[in-house]
Amino acid sequence: MASQPITIAVTGGIGSGKTTVARYIHKGYDANVFFADTEAKDLLTSSSNIQLALRDAFGDYIFHNGSIDTKRLSEKAFSSSTNQNTINNIIWPEIGKLVRTAIKDTSEQGKKIFVMDAALVIEAGMTDMYDHIMLIQADEHIRIDRASKRSGLSEKEIRKRIQLQMSEDEKEKFASVLINNGTDLDSLHSQVDSFMLSL
């Protein structure tokens, strides 16, 4: 019987560098990685149940030519915490099902580590699914700079998203390891290696 892999949720606010860390663990430790943002976008196009639930919640505005317009959905999602919670309650139960399948697949492949890359794993109430919660942190001005370069969002839009996310103090209560991604890649990799080699 295949053994259960060690499960790690890598999380952090916008621009923290969580995906960079998830990719590093994937490459350096032969881990299977589940990228929640990518999977959520796929669900928006593939799941008629999710599309119907979002139409019920927000109307036809979020659709364009019969498909969900992700830009309009993002506008809705980041306009209020109520809207964000509504969307999360529609999408995250489906993400949870996919994660359970992915962990099972990881076990059957004989891999020892499964990583979930997700900004909202704590907010979604899914921390119990993981052996470790790795919180990636950086000063707000660094995160804003990274996010603006990567996404093209304005500083105002990024600050609004940060305000809607759970505070760092709250997130720290759930974290089993804190990683400071405020300096350089060597420091980041060193911290991640220290944790991974301790498992």
Side-chain angles (χ1 to χ4, degrees), residues 167-182:
S167 73
E168 289 295 300
D169 288 346
E170 280 298 307
K171 286 180 180 177
E172 284 182 13
K173 294 174 185 174
F174 294 89
S176 47
V177 59
L178 304 177
I179 302 290
N180 181 340
N181 187 23

Side-chain angles (χ1 to χ4, degrees), residues 143-156:
R143 292 168 51 203
I144 290 169
D145 184 55
R146 285 178 188 152
S148 64
K149 286 174 180 169
R150 185 191 70 211
S151 65
L153 293 169
S154 69
E155 181 177 335
K156 185 179 176 184

Side-chain angles (χ1 to χ4, degrees), residues 34-152:
F34 185 100
F35 294 100
D37 282 354
T38 304
E39 297 291 341
K41 282 173 186 160
D42 287 347
L43 283 172
L44 291 177
T45 56
S46 66
S47 170
S48 55
N49 288 341
I50 284 178
Q51 290 173 5
L52 286 169
L54 290 171
R55 190 188 292 273
D56 286 346
F58 300 111
D60 290 332
Y61 168 77
I62 61 166
F63 285 81
H64 181 70
N65 293 336
S67 300
I68 287 180
D69 185 320
T70 53
K71 191 167 186 296
R72 289 181 176 181
L73 183 63
S74 289
E75 286 171 11
K76 284 288 184 187
F78 296 109
S79 64
S80 73
S81 56
T82 303
N83 283 356
Q84 197 169 54
N85 288 337
T86 298
I87 292 169
N88 289 342
N89 289 338
I90 290 168
I91 293 176
W92 272 93
E94 296 305 311
I95 291 284
K97 290 176 191 173
L98 294 177
V99 168
R100 289 182 186 92
T101 300
I103 292 172
K104 187 165 173 277
D105 290 345
T106 301
S107 174
E108 288 171 355
Q109 291 165 17
K111 294 207 173 183
K112 293 182 169 54
I113 297 166
F114 173 84
V115 173
M116 165 74 147
D117 167 21
L120 300 173
V121 68
I122 296 171
E123 291 89 333
M126 291 176 67
T127 55
D128 289 349
M129 290 178 66
Y130 303 95
D131 299 315
H132 302 280
I133 307 295
M134 180 184 283
L135 178 59
I136 316 303
Q137 299 179 303
D139 288 343
E140 192 170 290
H141 71 276
I142 294 173
R143 292 168 51 203
I144 290 169
D145 184 55
R146 285 178 188 152
S148 64
K149 286 174 180 169
R150 185 191 70 211
S151 65

